[in-house]
Amino acid sequence: MKKIELLAPAGSFEKAKIAYLYGADAVYCGTSSLSLRARADMKDDDLEKTIKYAHQIGKKVYVTLNIFAWDEKYDEIIKMAKKLEELKPDGIIAADVGVIETLKKQAPSVPINISTQANIISLQDCNFWYQNGAKRVIMAREMNKKQLQYIMENKPKDLEVEIFVHGAICFAFSGRCFLSDFLSCRSANLGDCVQSCRWSYNLYAEEKNNPGEYMPIETDEHGTSIFSSKDLCLIKELPEIIEMGIDSLKIEGRLKTEYYIASVINAYRNAIDDYEKNPQTYDYNKYLKELEKVKTRGLTTFYFNDRKNKDIQEYSGRQYNENYEFGGKVVTYSEEKSIIEIRNKLQVGDVLEIIVPNKIEPYEFKIKQLWKDETNEEIMAVSPRCKGTKG
């Protein structure tokens, strides 16, 4: 069985380290001005640190340079391309043909991965990009398994294929959207999407016999999130994907928390490893149970199983699991006292779970005591504003 790559989002150097800790083989990241996550906390120095750190521990980094660039962006793109030629990431993810041609000239030794935003949906698309120097193609999320299987059976043997298996789905085809720019003057195609498809809208119908008179079409008192998609989740379909020979499984979420990244990567890492050890005993439910804890919307298989699937829209808005919150990050651990970076209010009596790398079942315990780090004073509760608290 071919070894499949688990590819994680990294919106910062710290998130990259967490992704590696919990089992990612590679991360994808990019600077805020040249990738499709303008609010990601990844500066040039952080990008360099991430690449060096990854290669020291035998992991990979793919750099996203996947904006659709106006001419005024090319001086910065050329500068970044030359920098990446020095840093030698394991690939550059791009979609804009002008950007790709620039990369081929300015960073000739770095492989090019064609972004999902290039709308790759056919064998002919794959062959075109392969003939134009691509090492890997990232398929459109709108494809189903039969279409993917056909491509895997007929593509050039050394052309790698990457697909998304988990995370947010954009309202627009392959994420190419102008809605945010139209409504808020913030372009999704330049990485600054305001996520206007996630807003709640009120709909009105014009009365046929009374032009200019509008009647509301109400879902509830909050309107409806009619443009908002559920999140992709292919944990149940993982065996089919592995057997298909896909090269890389991609998780969406560079703006997600460390808690989300640790939980999702840990679930997919364990799922992949367990299936490779014993395909007959694969039970997706135990991994789905952990993924349900961190979901922010409903989950869907999108079009993977059925092109006619209608269960993809999230009409009710976000669906946080109220039983689970990001309590904190363990900074240092000891048998007696541990230092925790607090992210939500914690108090004596709360039940916490620790997500353990390479273990699907979290370690559960109840808080019995809390102390202030500076004074060692015993306290009953702690909130995020009190940093450096021991527990």
Side-chain angles (χ1 to χ4, degrees):
M1 189 181 296
K2 181 172 70 175
K3 183 69 175 176
I4 198 165
E5 177 184 84
L6 180 57
L7 178 55
S12 68
F13 177 51
E14 288 301 316
K15 290 178 182 178
K17 291 195 292 184
I18 288 170
Y20 292 135
L21 175 64
Y22 283 90
D25 300 301
V27 302
Y28 62 99
C29 55
T31 58
S32 60
S33 63
L34 296 177
S35 77
L36 291 182
R37 291 297 181 273
R39 294 182 299 284
D41 189 19
M42 181 71 75
K43 306 295 188 294
D44 287 4
D45 290 347
D46 296 314
L47 186 61
E48 183 173 351
K49 284 195 296 184
T50 301
I51 294 169
K52 289 181 177 179
Y53 176 78
H55 291 170
Q56 286 171 357
I57 62 173
K59 304 281 188 174
K60 294 183 178 181
V61 177
Y62 302 108
V63 175
T64 54
L65 213 162
N66 54 346
I67 63 168
F68 290 92
W70 305 108
D71 281 317
E72 53 264 31
K73 275 285 184 181
Y74 274 88
D75 286 344
E76 186 179 359
I77 290 168
I78 291 169
K79 181 180 178 182
M80 175 57 73
K82 290 178 178 179
K83 182 70 173 177
L84 294 176
E85 177 68 11
E86 297 174 5
L87 295 176
K88 296 292 189 291
D90 299 277
I92 303 174
I93 300 171
D96 185 319
V97 292
V99 172
I100 290 169
E101 286 302 300
T102 301
L103 292 172
K104 288 161 71 172
K105 293 176 183 176
Q106 304 295 339
S109 71
V110 184
I112 294 175
N113 298 353
I114 307 301
S115 171
T116 189
Q117 287 216 306
N119 309 126
I120 302 172
I121 59 171
S122 69
L123 179 62
Q124 284 70 27
D125 289 341
C126 294
N127 288 335
F128 170 83
W129 286 115
Y130 178 73
Q131 292 162 12
N132 282 275
K135 179 183 179 182
R136 176 181 292 189
V137 288
I138 306 167
M139 309 306 295
R141 274 169 275 204
E142 290 77 10
M143 297 188 69
N144 65 31
K145 59 186 176 185
K146 290 182 180 179
Q147 294 168 323
L148 286 169
Q149 183 68 56
Y150 175 77
I151 288 171
M152 293 306 298
E153 292 172 352
N154 294 281
K155 70 174 182 66
K157 292 190 182 302
D158 56 342
L159 177 66
E160 296 178 0
V161 172
E162 176 181 311
I163 68 169
F164 281 88
V165 293
H166 197 92
I169 301 169
C170 190
F171 172 73
F173 188 87
S174 290
R176 296 174 71 159
C177 183
F178 207 68
L179 186 63
S180 174
D181 197 50
F182 177 73
L183 294 176
S184 303
C185 295
R186 286 173 50 176
S187 174
N189 299 322
L190 291 173
D192 198 24
C193 183
V194 75
Q195 293 206 342
S196 39
C197 60
R198 307 295 184 190
W199 297 351
S200 291
Y201 290 87
N202 292 303
L203 306 180
Y204 298 86
E206 186 174 18
E207 291 189 32
K208 183 177 180 180
N209 298 323
N210 295 293
E213 294 293 325
Y214 297 91
M215 295 292 292
I217 303 172
E218 296 183 7
T219 301
D220 57 27
E221 67 272 19
H222 303 296
T224 177
S225 299
I226 194 169
F227 298 123
S228 184
S229 301
K230 293 182 177 180
D231 283 359
L232 180 67
C233 177
L234 296 181
I235 196 71
K236 182 179 180 180
E237 289 72 22
L238 197 62
E240 293 179 84
I241 294 169
I242 293 174
E243 295 296 338
M244 200 181 292
I246 299 293
D247 294 278
S248 183
L249 306 184
K250 191 171 197 171
I251 311 296
E252 185 277 337
R254 275 185 282 164
L255 299 182
K256 297 288 190 179
T257 66
E258 293 104 319
Y259 168 51
Y260 180 91
I261 291 170
S263 298
V264 174
I265 295 302
N266 197 53
Y268 277 89
R269 176 77 277 154
N270 279 277
I272 292 169
D273 293 348
D274 290 349
Y275 180 77
E276 290 177 343
K277 290 173 186 173
N278 192 341
Q280 283 71 39
T281 61
Y282 183 79
D283 178 12
Y284 75 92
N285 286 296
K286 61 182 179 181
Y287 316 110
L288 182 60
K289 178 183 176 183
E290 297 306 310
L291 295 172
E292 288 275 357
K293 295 176 182 178
V294 293
K295 74 175 186 180
T296 54
R297 304 178 191 98
L299 300 176
T300 179
T301 56
F302 202 33
Y303 293 137
F304 184 82
N305 294 312
D306 182 7
R307 287 285 304 167
K308 297 179 181 179
N309 181 24
K310 302 299 182 184
D311 183 30
I312 60 176
Q313 292 304 114
E314 183 57 86
Y315 297 111
S316 58
R318 295 194 171 191
Q319 295 185 352
Y320 290 105
N321 190 328
E322 295 179 355
N323 295 319
Y324 294 89
E325 291 184 312
F326 185 10
K329 183 170 69 173
V330 178
V331 179
T332 61
Y333 170 80
S334 71
E335 290 279 340
E336 296 181 357
K337 294 180 182 179
S338 297
I339 296 180
I340 311 295
E341 185 179 302
I342 302 299
R343 296 300 178 88
N344 270 296
K345 182 180 179 180
L346 301 176
Q347 57 190 9
V348 173
D350 282 348
V351 176
L352 298 184
E353 291 184 345
I354 296 180
I355 306 167
V356 182
N358 302 315
K359 187 176 185 297
I360 191 59
E361 296 84 7
Y363 173 73
E364 186 178 291
F365 70 99
K366 183 179 287 188
I367 298 178
K368 296 179 179 179
Q369 289 178 288
L370 290 167
W371 299 267
K372 282 187 177 180
D373 188 19
E374 298 86 354
T375 64
N376 217 33
E377 173 192 354
E378 190 167 346
I379 54 178
M380 294 301 294
V382 62
S383 64
R385 64 179 179 273
C386 302
K387 295 183 179 180
T389 301
K390 293 181 178 178

